[in-house]
Amino acid sequence: MSALFKRVLWIVLTAAVITFNSGAVPMTFASSGNIVVIGHPNLPINSISKTDLKNIFTGRKIAWSGDETIVVVILKKSKTHDRFLSKYVNKTSSQFRSYWIRLVFSGKGVAPISLASEEDMVDYVSNTKGAIGYISSNTNNTGTKIISVE
Amino acid sequence: MKKIMFITVSVIMILAGSPQAYNMGGVDIHGFVSQGYLCSDDNKYMANTEGGTTEFNEFGINFLSRITGKLTVGLQFFARDLGDYGNDDLKLDWAMISYGWKQWLGLRAGNLKIPMGFYNDTRDLDAARVSILLPQSIYNETSRDISAGLQGAGIYGNIPLGFMGNANYQLLFGRMDTEGENSGLYAFFRAQAQTGVTAIDMDDVFVSSLIWETSLDRLSFVDGFRLGWSYMQTSMEMDSSLTVNFAINEATGMLVVPDGMGGWTPFPAPPGVQPDYYFHVYYDTDIDVDMIYDVDNFDKNVYSVEYVYKNLTLAYEHQFTGIDISIFIDTGEEFEVFEYGGRPMLNFHYTNEAYYVSAAYRFCEWFEMGVYCSFSYYDKDDKDGEGLYELDTAETDRIMGADAWLYDDCVSLRFDLNENWTMKLEYHAMDGLFSVEPDDDGNTDKNWHMYAAKMSVSF
């Protein structure tokens, strides 16, 4: 057995063991829904594709049609934040944070606005041109536009 | 003094309050500070690690502002200390203006980070990974300034590929700052040429990067898969000096030098010519020789694969660094006869090969574990170091041939005390001596171990 093979085998076995333990401490949430994407009332869209939504929250798409800045708004650590990331961005909150750290410290992206509560999210999105965010479906969304995800 | 300043600034920044991003007048301010400890049981690796060293820290602060929806400007200052490298000199790490005309086409100009491999442009940021040291086979810290950034311009974009996902590309063109004699570039060539390097003049640098990412919509079962290729090409002239004890083979008139075993060997040994130990030396002296290494081509290819599934991240990267060198010799007027009439004394080509495989798993919000196996070879066509064995001399205690490779098996533990504070512990089992320095007594050990610890704050 070559040294290379032993090393690769060691890595694969280690990865397998820790993967099978993944149920012990759940870090991701089932895509159970109950997430509503909201935007500023004057946003030029009423619906958005999953791909575009992911592109916006990963900093690839930075402007709406025309030159209006997309203002990405996220929640700080919360179940709604974790559910949104799991359902639409396919990242855990730690992966999402690492991803944005990489963009920010390489100059390739301006970090999203991070807010502490869903009420703050609604207030900020309703008053900020170009803003897009998310809340749980049982949060009052007055003043924002509901954007359906296709 | 610089160390004291570094610690003072760091403590003030940390004690100023809960570390978080700041926004002043539309300018986002982010930063990071880290302090580490490296210790090896034998040899020196990147710093004076035998017995332990705290000369291992980084500091960065950046300012980023979106002027309009498509126009972004920013800059980052950075300082680091890693043994003899950096010495906490504050420098402009990157500064750029970026215009994203369309999602698929944008323009960047300024001092730009180089996208070699998946992790090069964030290699200084401890919070972005599980390990303390990125696999040194690809992300060698001692040669950071060869691959960290360039001054120039480029285009970039993200191209939607429908159900195939999307492709990210970057094309950059510019020049590198070699940072002077204490830079990693000088150290890199000192190690490669095994002589003192006095000056390096680099030509233009071309960099390209292409990354394909799978899509969420149609291929959800493989979402999280990335495949990348990055390429860098440049050329340079490197001047070095050394003192040679030489003589002339009376029979052949050939320039010869001591072979370290009491005899003499041709300098250099032309192909097919065997050393002649039996001749009368009629001239024997020390002379100062200026060597000019004309690196006609320096190119690097990195092939990268990454797969993220829930909390598991797997990665594999493979790098080839090709180097074509012509060596010219200048012995001064007195010994002009030994020069080669403007022709290179020696031409050769070799290719460094390096790769690693890694796995990382986040068990919970505050704990993540990672492993990687990293492999480096001085010459992909001489992985056992047989050629180096022939060149090596008996005057050192270096293990014959082991200069040709370095294997690094690493285990890392990451503890996130909160979103901003991170503590890490790491163990490396090493085999080989490529890029490794002897200890203070001049001894080396082929099989050795290294331990590392690091505390980081980012905001």
Side-chain angles (χ1 to χ4, degrees), chain B residues 19-273:
Chain B
Q20 56 184 325
Y22 296 94
N23 185 286
M24 294 176 62
V27 179
D28 282 356
I29 304 173
H30 298 266
F32 60 90
V33 180
S34 66
Q35 175 62 56
Y37 174 75
L38 293 170
C39 179
S40 60
D41 61 350
D42 285 297
N43 311 323
K44 294 179 182 177
Y45 191 51
M46 300 185 289
N48 191 9
T49 52
E50 193 184 45
T53 180
T54 56
E55 286 188 299
F56 181 33
N57 60 50
E58 290 119 8
F59 166 83
I61 186 163
N62 81 30
F63 306 86
L64 204 55
S65 179
R66 185 176 295 168
I67 306 298
T68 70
K70 297 179 178 178
L71 186 65
T72 306
V73 296
L75 58 85
Q76 177 165 296
F77 293 100
F78 175 71
R80 73 160 180 168
D81 188 20
L82 179 61
D84 292 334
Y85 304 102
N87 295 320
D88 286 328
D89 289 332
L90 192 65
K91 55 170 288 194
L92 185 64
D93 189 29
W94 55 259
M96 73 171 85
I97 183 167
S98 176
Y99 183 75
W101 180 54
K102 300 287 185 184
Q103 184 177 334
W104 54 270
L105 181 61
L107 174 69
R108 287 195 181 105
N111 195 335
L112 309 173
K113 300 294 283 185
I114 293 179
M116 290 300 297
F118 282 159
Y119 314 111
N120 184 60
D121 51 6
T122 53
R123 60 188 298 159
D124 305 314
L125 188 62
D126 193 57
R129 60 178 181 268
V130 62
S131 63
I132 293 174
L133 294 172
L134 282 167
Q136 293 298 290
S137 54
I138 306 283
Y139 303 102
N140 189 336
E141 285 303 321
T142 63
S143 56
R144 176 184 180 279
D145 54 347
I146 299 177
S147 48
L150 61 80
Q151 296 161 355
I155 58 174
Y156 67 95
N158 173 268
I159 303 172
L161 300 175
F163 74 94
M164 292 292 290
N166 55 70
N168 296 289
Y169 72 90
Q170 292 187 67
L171 299 173
L172 306 178
F173 186 76
R175 295 185 77 91
M176 283 184 180
D177 177 8
T178 58
E179 296 184 0
E181 292 185 14
N182 290 326
S183 73
L185 185 60
Y186 278 68
F188 176 79
F189 279 109
R190 273 198 295 274
Q192 303 279 317
Q194 301 190 351
T195 64
V197 178
T198 56
I200 294 178
D201 181 20
M202 291 192 71
D203 292 328
D204 294 331
V205 181
F206 171 74
V207 178
S208 64
S209 167
L210 183 63
I211 298 172
W212 172 60
E213 299 173 318
T214 50
S215 165
L216 177 66
D217 286 349
R218 301 292 181 85
L219 297 173
S220 58
F221 65 99
V222 289
D223 192 30
F225 179 77
R226 289 200 297 164
L227 186 64
W229 167 67
S230 41
Y231 172 76
M232 181 175 87
Q233 194 279 329
T234 187
S235 57
M236 67 195 82
E237 181 180 299
M238 175 183 68
D239 299 333
S240 72
S241 63
L242 69 163
T243 301
V244 178
N245 173 235
F246 82 100
I248 299 297
N249 183 323
E250 188 177 52
T252 64
M254 185 178 293
L255 183 65
V256 293
V257 294
D259 64 3
M261 293 177 284
W264 298 83
T265 190
F267 181 73
V273 176

Side-chain angles (χ1 to χ4, degrees), chain A residues 4 7-8 10-11 14-15 18-19 21-23 25-28 49-52 54-55 60-63 66-71 76-77 82 87-90 92 94-95 97-98 101-111, chain B residues 28 30-32 62 64 66 68-70 72 76 94 96 103 108 119 121-122 125 127-128 158 168 170 213 216-217 223-224 308 310-312 314 355 357-359 361-365 371-373 375 407 409 411 419-420 458-459:
Chain A
L4 170 62
R7 286 181 171 88
V8 172
W10 178 56
I11 278 205
T14 304
I18 55 184
T19 301
N21 280 333
S22 63
V25 185
M27 288 289 295
T28 55
S49 69
K50 281 185 179 178
T51 301
D52 274 351
K54 184 179 181 183
N55 284 337
R60 297 190 187 107
K61 184 177 174 67
I62 61 174
D67 193 20
E68 186 180 19
T69 304
I70 297 178
V71 180
K76 291 182 177 173
K77 194 185 302 181
D82 289 339
K87 186 171 184 179
Y88 295 118
V89 188
N90 196 33
T92 65
S94 60
Q95 289 165 350
R97 176 174 157 72
S98 290
I101 281 177
R102 289 183 183 136
L103 287 190
V104 166
F105 285 101
S106 59
K108 292 173 183 165
V110 177
Chain B
D28 282 356
H30 298 266
F32 60 90
N62 81 30
L64 204 55
R66 185 176 295 168
T68 70
K70 297 179 178 178
T72 306
Q76 177 165 296
W94 55 259
M96 73 171 85
Q103 184 177 334
R108 287 195 181 105
Y119 314 111
D121 51 6
T122 53
L125 188 62
N158 173 268
N168 296 289
Q170 292 187 67
E213 299 173 318
L216 177 66
D217 286 349
D223 192 30
V308 179
K310 294 185 177 178
N311 299 306
L312 176 68
L314 302 173
Y355 55 94
V357 289
S358 70
Y361 189 79
R362 179 166 283 269
F363 288 86
C364 59
E365 288 185 7
V371 293
Y372 66 69
C373 297
F375 304 82
Y407 305 148
D409 293 341
V411 179
E419 279 197 344
N420 305 98
S458 62
F459 66 91

Side-chain angles (χ1 to χ4, degrees), chain A residues 77-91:
Chain A
K77 194 185 302 181
S78 68
K79 287 186 176 178
T80 303
H81 178 59
D82 289 339
R83 282 200 192 104
F84 174 79
L85 294 179
S86 175
K87 186 171 184 179
Y88 295 118
V89 188
N90 196 33
K91 292 185 188 298

